[in-house]
């Protein structure tokens, strides 16, 4: 049984079909890229997996369970927008996570804070967008989760910060954990990916091992992305 | 877990309350000081202004209380709150405690400051009168205690209705209405609740019969009767109702409790099953 199993998943926003009978199996212990143009269904899929949207049709299973309270305990979700109030400091955010998530490792959070060169006493509103993103990544990756769902973790930040964020992500995920990262910045994330999933119009149009795909197509994932969505 | 959730939800509104509550006290003191100057026009003007400002502060905090709860569970902060592996019942109880703290707290502080302002600026013994009313009228009879319990129950039902409106009004089917979804649900609840109250008062055979005391001109001799207001209502329509003996149906207490239970169940079911975060 795969860690994530999805059968016939559909989701509509009014008359707009965001996911269209999507089928997908993803195993643990790897970093998987979820790529596609805007509106292809990446965020919707991650929100359903993160149990932030339960109004869908089809079957979704995370470690054998329907997304909900039980799966929240093993899933760490990074939203596209920051979920924290801007008056909070990084230290206060750490305290909140420590309070609510049994798998939260404060030592790891402190290490990441240092790695990202962030001040614990600094308020989020005083931070740049890249710094805020790093705080969110620090919190999400400091949990010992089975699944990390990261929605566009490097969009809107400068290239230097992207590399630092990616190093932070790779360094913290456990060996058996699944990291599912949505992005349209394939070239930045390509070196760390084990698998790639291409979505379009709410369907999986390609799901392949990254190395295999490079070998078979003779092109990088970014080149394949550009060719497929041209 | 309930205590932790309660504290987390309190943080956001608490930051604003720390400013608004002292501001309300400042407004009261300023209003009283101006009226003590005994300048006729200025005194009445500042009294009006300070009462209005006090009311606006209380109203603002009540709106903020509801808005923050909405943002915690439907806005971007929902990605934090909804990722917490707590039970739906724990979320609901912590939200109830949060609303009771701020809605009841703000109402209490507002009434207290308003009374203080009237007493200090006009010299009218408001606190003494309220004390007499509470000790010698309200808490002096089982009917008065029953009324207090009913007022508290009504406050609780209002809080339940707010959470119900936010939860069901934010379901996927209402997404196109935005924040109008919860508002629409609350209006529907309010109309349904009023209609149910009227129907229950008329039709459920349980009421309080009150006899008019001709000497004082007020009602006395309260008696529980197995009768609703329907017959009295019909008699009133035919213009042959006895004005000295009035029956007020109280069956609505049971239907309101029933309605609150239905809202709790629907909210509980909606919380995990038909939910779609809007942000």
């Amino acid at each position: 049984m795969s860690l994530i199993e999805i059968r016939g998943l559909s989701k509509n926003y009014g008359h707009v079909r965001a996911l269209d009978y999507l089928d997908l199996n993803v195993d643990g212990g790897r970093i998987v890229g979820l790529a596609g143009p805007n509106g292809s269904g990446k965020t919707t899929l991650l929100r359903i997996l993160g149990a932030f949207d339960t109004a869908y049709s089809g079957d979704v299973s995370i470690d054998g369970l329907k997304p909900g309270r039980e799966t929240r305990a093993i899933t760490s979700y990074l939203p596209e927008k920051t979920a924290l109030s801007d008056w909070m400091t990084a230290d206060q955010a750490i305290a909140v996570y420590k309070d609510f998530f049994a798998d939260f490792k404060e030592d790891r959070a402190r290490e990441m804070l240092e790695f990202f060169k962030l001040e614990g006493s600094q308020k989020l509103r005083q931070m740049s967008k890249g710094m805020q993103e790093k705080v969110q990544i620090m919190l999400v990756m400091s949990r010992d989760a089975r699944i990390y769902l990261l929605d566009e973790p490097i969009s809107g930040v400068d290239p230097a910060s992207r590399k630092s964020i990616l190093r932070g992500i790779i360094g913290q995920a456990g060996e058996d954990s699944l990291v599912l990262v949505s992005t349209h910045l394939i070239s930045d994330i390509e070196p760390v990916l084990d698998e790639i999933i291409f979505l379009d119009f709410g369907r999986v149009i390609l799901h392949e091992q990254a190395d295999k795909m490079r070998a078979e197509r003779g092109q990088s994932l970014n080149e394949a992305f550009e060719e497929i969505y041209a | 877990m309930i205590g932790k959730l309660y504290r987390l939800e309190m943080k956001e509104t608490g930051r604003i309350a720390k400013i608004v509550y002292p501001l309300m006290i400042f407004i009261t003191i300023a209003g009283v000081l101006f009226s003590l100057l005994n300048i006729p026009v200025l005194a009445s003007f500042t009294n009006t202004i300070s009462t209005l400002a006090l009311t606006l502060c209380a109203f603002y905090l009540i709106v903020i209380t509801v808005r923050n709860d909405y943002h915690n569970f439907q806005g971007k902060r929902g990605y934090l709150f909804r990722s917490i592996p707590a039970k739906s019942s724990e979320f609901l109880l912590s939200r109830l405690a949060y609303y009771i703290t701020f809605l009841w707290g703000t109402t209490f502080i507002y009434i207290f400051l308003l009374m203080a302002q009237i007493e200090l600026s006009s010299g009218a013994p408001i606190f003494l009168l309220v004390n007499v009313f509470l000790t010698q009228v309200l808490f002096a009879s089982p009917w008065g205690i029953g009324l207090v319990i009913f007022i508290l129950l009504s406050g609780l039902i209002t809080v339940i209705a707010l959470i119900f409106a936010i939860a069901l009004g934010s379901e996927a089917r209402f997404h196109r209405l935005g924040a109008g979804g919860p508002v629409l649900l609350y209006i529907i609840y309010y109309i349904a609740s009023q209609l149910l109250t009227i129907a229950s008062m008329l039709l459920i055979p349980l009421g309080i019969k009150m006899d008019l005391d001709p000497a004082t001109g007020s009602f006395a001799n309260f008696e529980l009767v197995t009768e609703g207001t329907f017959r009295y209502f019909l008699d009133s329509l035919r213009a042959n109702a006895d004005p000295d003996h009035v029956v007020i149906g109280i069956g609505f207490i049971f239907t309101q409790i029933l309605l609150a239970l239905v809202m709790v169940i629907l909210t509980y079911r909606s919380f995990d099953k038909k939910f779609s975060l809007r942000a």
Side-chain angles (χ1 to χ4, degrees), chain A residues 11 13-15 43 47 50-55 67-70 72-73 75 77 79-88 92 96-101 125 143, chain B residues 1 4-8 11-12 15 72 76-88 90-91 172-173 175-176 270-279:
Chain A
K11 166 77 190 177
Y13 292 111
H15 298 297
T43 296
R47 277 159 49 100
F52 296 103
D53 194 330
T54 55
R69 188 172 75 89
E70 290 91 350
R72 278 185 212 127
T75 308
Y77 184 90
E80 205 174 349
K81 300 167 194 165
T82 179
L84 302 166
S85 301
D86 63 0
W87 53 264
M88 266 191 188
Q92 286 171 326
V96 167
Y97 267 68
K98 196 180 156 191
D99 235 10
F100 288 106
F101 301 102
R125 72 161 74 104
R143 286 183 57 194
Chain B
M1 182 58 92
K4 286 181 188 174
L5 287 169
Y6 170 71
R7 280 195 296 278
L8 182 62
K11 276 181 186 165
E12 207 72 38
R15 290 178 63 253
N72 286 343
K76 62 170 190 158
R77 288 198 297 273
Y79 285 110
L80 170 61
F81 276 83
R82 298 257 180 191
S83 68
I84 295 168
K87 291 177 191 165
S88 302
E90 291 171 328
F91 277 118
R173 72 184 98 167
H175 263 200
R176 73 186 67 173
S270 166
F271 196 81
D272 261 346
K273 290 184 179 155
K274 297 172 185 172
F275 167 73
S276 178
L277 193 63
R278 187 166 291 148

Side-chain angles (χ1 to χ4, degrees), chain B residues 213-244:
Chain B
D213 183 352
T216 61
S218 60
F219 282 106
N221 295 331
F222 299 99
E223 187 190 341
L224 204 61
V225 291
T226 52
E227 189 185 336
T229 315
F230 191 64
R231 205 177 65 184
Y232 185 80
F233 175 70
L234 283 182
D235 289 345
S236 298
L237 288 180
R238 293 180 195 129
N240 59 358
D242 180 0
D244 295 341

Side-chain angles (χ1 to χ4, degrees), chain B residues 18-55:
Chain B
K18 275 181 195 168
I19 300 166
V20 175
Y21 287 149
L23 182 66
M24 288 170 79
I25 294 168
F26 173 77
I27 289 166
T28 308
I29 294 169
V32 169
L33 288 177
F34 268 106
S35 38
L36 289 178
L37 291 174
N38 275 334
I39 305 168
V41 180
L42 186 70
S44 77
F45 178 71
T46 49
N47 258 340
T48 309
I49 293 293
S50 62
T51 304
L52 197 67
L54 210 56
T55 308

Side-chain angles (χ1 to χ4, degrees), chain A residues 85 87-88 96 99-100, chain B residues 1-17 61 63-75 77-78 80-82 84 88-103 159 162-163 166 271:
Chain A
S85 301
W87 53 264
M88 266 191 188
V96 167
D99 235 10
F100 288 106
Chain B
M1 182 58 92
I2 295 167
K4 286 181 188 174
L5 287 169
Y6 170 71
R7 280 195 296 278
L8 182 62
E9 195 160 22
M10 288 285 287
K11 276 181 186 165
E12 207 72 38
T13 310
R15 290 178 63 253
I16 298 164
L61 202 57
V63 169
I64 288 293
T65 302
V66 179
R67 193 203 68 165
N68 279 347
D69 178 62
Y70 176 78
H71 282 302
N72 286 343
F73 288 91
Q74 300 300 328
R77 288 198 297 273
L80 170 61
F81 276 83
R82 298 257 180 191
I84 295 168
S88 302
S89 56
E90 291 171 328
F91 277 118
L92 290 180
L93 286 171
S94 68
R95 288 172 79 183
L96 265 181
Y98 160 80
Y99 272 113
I100 286 171
T101 305
F102 281 115
L103 293 189
V159 169
L162 280 170
I163 299 174
I166 289 175
F271 196 81

